[in-house]
Amino acid sequence: MSETTLRNGLAVLVCLVLAGPGYAQRELRDIPDPDPELERATFVVDPAVEVNLFAADPLIAKPIQMNFDAAGRLWVASSSLYPQIKPGQQADDKIVVLSDTDGDGRSDRTDVFADGLLIPTGIEPGDGGVYVANSTELLHLADTDGDMRADRRRVVLSGFGTEDTHHILHTLRWGPEGLLYFNQSIYIHSHIETPHGIRRLGAGGIWHFRPETMELDVFIRGLVNGWGHHFDRWGQSFVTDGAGGQGINYAFPGAVFETAKEEVRILDGLNPGSPKYCSAEILEGRHVPEDWQGNILTNDFRANRVCRFAIEEAESGYTARQLGDLIRAKSVAFRPIDVKQGPDGAIYIADWYNPIIQHGEVDFRDPRRDHVHGRIWRVTFRDRAKTQAPQLADLDTEGLLAALESPERYTRQRAKRLLKRRGAETVVPALAAWLAGLDANDAEYEHHRLEGLWTYQALDMPEPALLGQVLESPDHRARAAAVRVLYHWQDRLGDDGSDATTLASRHVVDQHPRVRLEAVRALGRIGTAAAVVAAMQALDMPTDRFLDHALWLTARETSDAWLPQLVDGKITFVRPEHTIYALEAVDSPAVVPVAARLAGNDQVGSDVRRRALELLARHGGPAEFDLVLAEVFDGAAPAQERGQLLESLVKASQTRGVVPDRSAGRVGQLVSGDEPRLARAAIEAAGRWQVEEAWMPILEIAISDDAPVETRIAAARSLALLRPDEAVDVLVEMAGDDQTAAIRPSAVEVLATLDVTKAAGRAATLLAEAESASQAAALIEMFAQRKSGPAALAAALDEQHVMLPATVARRGLRAAASAGADGSALNEA
């Protein structure tokens, strides 16, 4: 290879590696003028709306999250230090309060409520002050003398991880039931001490917290960098991910999403393949046009736009359909990072304003990083009256209860917070009277009753009678929300949880699948064997991916409660199909005794028996292997299914080293069978279990041009296990020039396990002929993963004077680098 060719190839490789977003920002030279009006001139907005500037620097800088209080003021967490404080630098990030005192849609008063903070990434007013996510801590700051400066600081919780400053505690949000929700992201490991014990979350997820009792629990687990969470009118959660690719995610208690630590099953989002989004706000209220009601707004901050999705019900879950953008900016510094609907019905957008957004790809102290600008944009609908928000703090208890009937979420939510502050002793009698006075013919009657139920929950006062009424609502959305309340109250409705179990069990067979989903999760939280037996009855009605996920979680998380009792015969599930589903969810050797009983029971049905045999193959020992093999050899199941069982045995032998007690030799009878899957599995088993008498028929298959390619490959692997020394010459021949192109790479791969030098010689020939860059990369990566592989392949390439096409060389070098190999010899070759 000439020096010029090598140099050009490396230049192309460097360009390919650097052509990502981080490199594009490193090349950024045209820094926009920070004038807000010049930025606004670059906005392309939906025709239904208009945009004005609510607030901008120097009044605020680098807004990260914002939320409104009951007085209509906008509280903003801002950080000029992000992404990293310099050695010796004084922490001076701020909490700023913006007020529009004359109602003209522009902030005319700014109060610095607190300073001296270190990268505050979340904020939510409440409980006489404001909650702030501040690095490792959740703080509560309060102003006791009325001067709009915090003079009391309390550490509410501590022990949140700080491994990455854009993954630390963030996205504070009050739930409709009075719980405070907040997120953390993938790199964070949190260990929180509470009066109720240590709470841990070792990756991404969402917490929920009741401040007055200090009860902290994990709501969902997973996501990469989940910077968005909101609730619809009926309390259902939707989450966005600032570093994921699933769009809008529908979440329910315990749901597990991508990146969740040590989880084997995850729930996909509603828009796989979407860009990364942060923040989430669901629109409602009188200022919002009908065709925008219930839409979710979120921010594609990388593409400088605010996006809009329509959310629609679909069985137990939802679908999300992307609509036109609310705003798309031509300015590269427009970085929408949070979006909230205000008390006037308008949409407020926190613009972090920065031409540089990458956290790691661009130097932390790159001088082009903007640390001083930031702004809040206000979006209103044309020809729609603004909402006149009530002065909630001036209302008496009855007035606050009447505010629960408001069509605006802001009004309902903040009214509940104020009712909470007044206390149960004052509020409960008036709440009961308000509920009794509701008009049953009102179209919003069911929602009003639900708001009343949530108010009892916010007051931490269980009200079984109202719960029972809403559980029987004709509106499935209210029933589902009531079951979620039951999820939280389950240990306060009966000393042994029996009342909660009875109530939730009734809704496992509800006519609507979302109610069934909520009931399954409520029973999972109850966690008794009886509760899980009841939950599995959801299998008797149609399921979808969300309900299946909920069932699987419930069975898996509660296995310590029900599995020992099932093994001992102390409980039984209603149907064998329930039993096998629960056993599959646990997926551990502990299921073997029950699986063996099912496999030996001719009355349970062929599907249940097959699944039980699969569990025995996956987790059993030699005796269970013989049971499964009896079905493989003599069972009445189709050959395809018997082949699948045998494959499971082979995989278990490979991973756990288990072999049958007595029946291994019989697999030799199947290697030449007519059913390809069964024959391939038998060939693999013969090699794995050292069935010597199968050598000759497997050899004939390996060298036969008439045998299917996949079967020949299985034969090659088996020969290498049976007689390694004799197999080398066979594999060299199978990788030869006169063999079909489909068989040669696989023969080289098997040969490399026995003789890497001979395999490299055949691989060099294949690389010289390669037309597919991906095939070549796979070959090089295979050698890169072996201790002497790179050197052997480099020597073969040199000896045969192989000149690789540029595309093949690039892919191969990247493959070697990704395998972590010492690629110096390959680079030189």
Side-chain angles (χ1 to χ4, degrees):
M1 182 180 295
S2 71
E3 181 180 348
T4 302
T5 302
L6 179 60
R7 185 169 58 247
N8 291 341
L10 288 174
V12 172
L13 178 59
V14 168
C15 289
L16 286 171
V17 171
L18 296 181
Y23 179 72
Q25 289 191 108
R26 285 199 292 273
E27 289 296 292
L28 183 64
R29 296 290 180 266
D30 186 14
I31 305 300
D33 188 311
D35 184 330
E37 287 306 313
L38 292 178
E39 182 187 17
R40 187 165 73 99
T42 75
F43 290 176
V44 178
V45 303
D46 187 284
V49 305
E50 54 190 1
V51 182
N52 71 270
L53 183 68
F54 180 73
D57 47 85
L59 303 180
I60 57 168
K62 319 319 296 177
I64 293 180
Q65 197 197 5
M66 59 186 182
N67 269 307
F68 287 92
D69 68 7
R73 298 171 299 200
L74 185 59
W75 294 66
V76 183
S78 63
S79 175
S80 60
L81 293 173
Y82 178 92
Q84 183 192 55
I85 192 169
K86 297 177 182 178
Q89 185 179 8
Q90 185 69 32
D92 194 32
D93 288 334
K94 297 176 176 61
I95 301 300
V96 176
V97 185
L98 304 174
S99 303
D100 175 10
T101 63
D102 57 9
D104 67 351
R106 292 170 174 79
S107 173
D108 48 41
R109 173 175 173 173
T110 302
D111 293 284
V112 178
F113 187 77
D115 52 20
L117 299 170
L118 177 60
I119 311 184
T121 47
I123 187 167
E124 178 66 281
D127 297 338
V130 61
Y131 289 93
V132 176
N134 187 53
S135 300
T136 64
E137 301 170 332
L138 178 68
L139 305 178
H140 188 265
L141 308 178
D143 165 26
T144 63
D145 57 10
D147 65 352
M148 285 304 292
R149 287 283 293 180
D151 49 41
R152 187 177 67 195
R153 170 175 170 153
R154 178 168 59 95
V155 177
V156 181
L157 295 169
S158 63
F160 298 99
T162 58
E163 291 90 335
D164 192 316
T165 52
H166 68 312
H167 285 195
I168 55 178
L169 197 64
H170 55 83
T171 312
L172 273 61
R173 172 84 79 171
W174 288 113
E177 74 296 82
L179 296 175
L180 182 62
Y181 292 76
F182 37 83
N183 302 17
Q184 68 178 53
S185 301
I186 182 174
Y187 297 130
I188 300 303
H189 298 76
S190 296
H191 305 263
I192 317 301
E193 185 174 359
T194 79
H196 308 279
I198 300 293
R199 298 293 183 264
R200 295 181 174 89
L201 182 58
I206 299 179
W207 299 90
H208 59 62
F209 175 58
R210 181 173 288 281
E212 65 272 19
T213 63
M214 295 295 289
E215 293 172 276
L216 176 70
D217 285 296
V218 174
F219 173 56
I220 66 165
R221 287 175 293 141
L223 303 177
V224 184
N225 198 8
W227 275 75
H229 178 208
H230 201 16
F231 306 88
D232 72 2
R233 278 174 56 80
W234 302 93
Q236 296 295 321
S237 281
F238 298 89
V239 185
T240 57
D241 192 338
Q246 298 283 327
I248 309 298
N249 298 272
Y250 165 50
F252 49 82
V256 177
F257 296 89
E258 63 176 339
T259 79
K261 187 179 180 182
E262 297 175 353
E263 285 298 335
V264 296
R265 282 185 60 175
I266 62 171
L267 191 62
D268 289 332
L270 305 182
N271 312 95
S274 287
K276 301 166 173 60
Y277 296 120
C278 70
S279 188
E281 184 76 352
I282 299 177
L283 301 180
E284 65 170 46
R286 286 163 288 186
H287 181 59
V288 178
E290 184 61 33
D291 59 339
W292 289 66
Q293 293 284 339
N295 287 181
I296 289 184
L297 297 181
T298 186
N299 301 308
D300 182 357
F301 54 96
R302 296 169 188 257
N304 320 106
R305 62 185 184 138
V306 180
C307 305
R308 172 187 168 208
F309 287 83
I311 301 297
E312 298 174 356
E313 293 188 287
E315 299 178 307
S316 72
Y318 296 84
T319 62
R321 176 171 49 90
Q322 189 160 8
L323 305 172
D325 294 338
L326 176 70
I327 298 175
R328 179 186 289 271
K330 297 176 183 177
S331 169
V332 298
F334 176 61
R335 302 296 185 182
I337 194 170
D338 196 14
V339 55
K340 292 291 189 300
Q341 194 173 7
D344 56 354
I347 299 160
Y348 292 76
I349 298 166
D351 178 3
W352 190 52
Y353 192 85
N354 211 316
I356 302 296
I357 59 169
Q358 297 295 339
H359 182 72
E361 294 89 337
V362 180
D363 191 275
F364 282 1
R365 296 169 195 164
D366 189 303
R368 295 164 305 158
R369 283 190 185 272
D370 187 294
H371 292 276
V372 297
H373 298 100
R375 57 237 20 198
I376 310 293
W377 301 101
R378 177 175 175 269
V379 181
T380 53
F381 290 94
R382 299 179 187 274
D383 305 320
R384 302 281 299 186
K386 311 300 185 293
T387 301
Q388 295 300 313
Q391 297 300 309
L392 294 172
D394 298 334
L395 297 178
D396 59 16
T397 298
E398 287 72 19
L400 288 175
L401 289 166
L404 298 180
E405 302 177 45
S406 169
E408 278 75 43
R409 179 186 294 104
Y410 163 83
T411 301
R412 301 192 306 272
Q413 185 74 340
R414 290 301 163 187
K416 281 202 290 277
R417 297 309 308 158
L418 291 173
L419 288 166
K420 168 64 180 172
R421 291 280 293 163
R422 295 187 183 185
E425 185 175 345
T426 298
V427 172
V428 165
L431 175 57
W434 173 73
L435 283 160
L438 291 173
D439 180 2
N441 295 316
D442 187 334
E444 295 297 322
Y445 176 67
E446 298 301 329
H447 192 267
H448 296 339
R449 286 205 302 178
L450 176 60
E451 287 287 352
L453 183 62
W454 279 335
T455 303
Y456 275 110
Q457 195 176 0
L459 293 166
D460 200 26
M461 292 289 293
E463 177 46 57
L466 179 60
L467 173 62
Q469 293 166 14
V470 183
L471 282 170
E472 300 303 321
S473 168
D475 192 316
H476 67 273
R477 297 169 298 181
R479 296 199 304 276
V483 177
R484 180 79 64 87
V485 176
L486 174 62
Y487 173 93
H488 290 287
W489 281 353
Q490 51 90 17
D491 58 350
R492 302 174 71 180
L493 299 176
D495 292 339
D496 59 358
S498 59
D499 290 346
T501 302
T502 301
L503 288 171
S505 300
R506 192 176 303 154
H507 291 282
V508 163
V509 291
D510 191 278
Q511 289 303 305
H512 199 278
R514 188 170 313 113
V515 183
R516 302 200 292 272
L517 182 152
E518 294 285 354
V520 163
R521 292 309 293 145
L523 289 164
R525 190 165 198 241
I526 292 169
T528 63
V532 179
V533 168
M536 290 304 110
Q537 294 181 73
L539 290 166
D540 296 338
M541 302 181 77
T543 62
D544 60 12
R545 66 186 181 101
F546 299 107
L547 185 46
D548 177 69
H549 189 76
L551 275 165
W552 182 85
L553 284 169
T554 293
R556 187 176 180 86
E557 293 171 349
T558 60
S559 62
D560 288 346
W562 62 264
L563 184 54
Q565 294 192 48
L566 186 66
V567 170
D568 293 342
K570 295 178 180 178
I571 62 165
T572 58
F573 285 91
V574 175
R575 298 176 57 209
E577 288 78 7
H578 302 176
T579 308
I580 195 65
Y581 183 97
L583 295 178
E584 289 171 336
V586 176
D587 197 29
S588 95
V591 307
V592 166
V594 183
R597 292 202 293 263
L598 287 173
N601 186 349
D602 293 335
Q603 305 302 311
V604 299
S606 59
D607 181 64
V608 172
R609 286 194 69 246
R610 177 188 58 79
R611 292 160 67 186
L613 288 164
E614 283 283 354
L615 287 174
L616 293 180
R618 195 175 307 147
H619 300 296
E624 286 75 33
F625 270 37
D626 283 323
L627 284 175
V628 178
L629 280 173
E631 180 69 22
V632 171
F633 296 136
D634 306 317
Q640 183 83 353
E641 290 184 10
R642 290 186 288 128
Q644 182 177 340
L645 284 173
L646 189 50
E647 287 172 354
S648 297
L649 291 174
V650 172
K651 184 175 180 180
S653 290
Q654 183 177 3
T655 57
R656 298 192 290 117
V658 182
V659 298
D661 264 345
R662 301 180 302 276
S663 309
R666 292 185 64 188
V667 298
Q669 304 166 16
L670 303 176
V671 297
S672 301
D674 295 331
E675 207 290 315
R677 185 171 190 175
L678 182 56
R680 282 197 303 272
I683 290 167
E684 298 270 15
R688 188 65 55 186
W689 299 338
Q690 295 296 295
V691 181
E692 271 292 329
E693 56 267 33
W695 166 268
M696 189 53 67
I698 293 175
L699 175 60
E700 291 174 356
I701 292 168
I703 63 177
S704 171
D705 293 336
D706 297 328
V709 169
E710 290 185 3
T711 306
R712 292 185 67 192
I713 293 169
R717 286 194 292 264
S718 189
L719 294 177
L721 291 170
L722 281 169
R723 299 182 189 175
D725 293 340
E726 295 180 46
V728 169
D729 291 338
V730 179
L731 292 166
V732 169
E733 180 180 339
M734 291 179 70
D737 300 349
D738 59 340
Q739 296 292 315
T740 175
I743 199 73
R744 292 169 66 194
S746 297
V748 168
E749 183 176 0
V750 178
L751 180 59
T753 66
L754 305 178
D755 189 322
V756 72
T757 301
K758 290 183 178 179
R762 291 302 195 192
T765 304
L766 281 172
L767 287 170
E769 302 168 356
E771 296 179 358
S772 164
S774 59
Q775 181 191 70
L779 269 172
I780 296 173
E781 185 173 8
M782 183 261 292
F783 279 89
Q785 291 170 343
R786 301 188 178 279
K787 184 176 181 180
S788 56
L793 183 58
L797 290 170
D798 185 58
E799 181 180 343
Q800 297 182 32
H801 306 290
V802 175
M803 180 71 69
L804 300 181
T807 54
V808 173
R810 286 197 297 270
R811 287 288 297 269
L813 288 171
R814 287 203 298 271
S818 66
D822 178 4
S824 56
L826 278 176
N827 288 339
E828 188 174 346

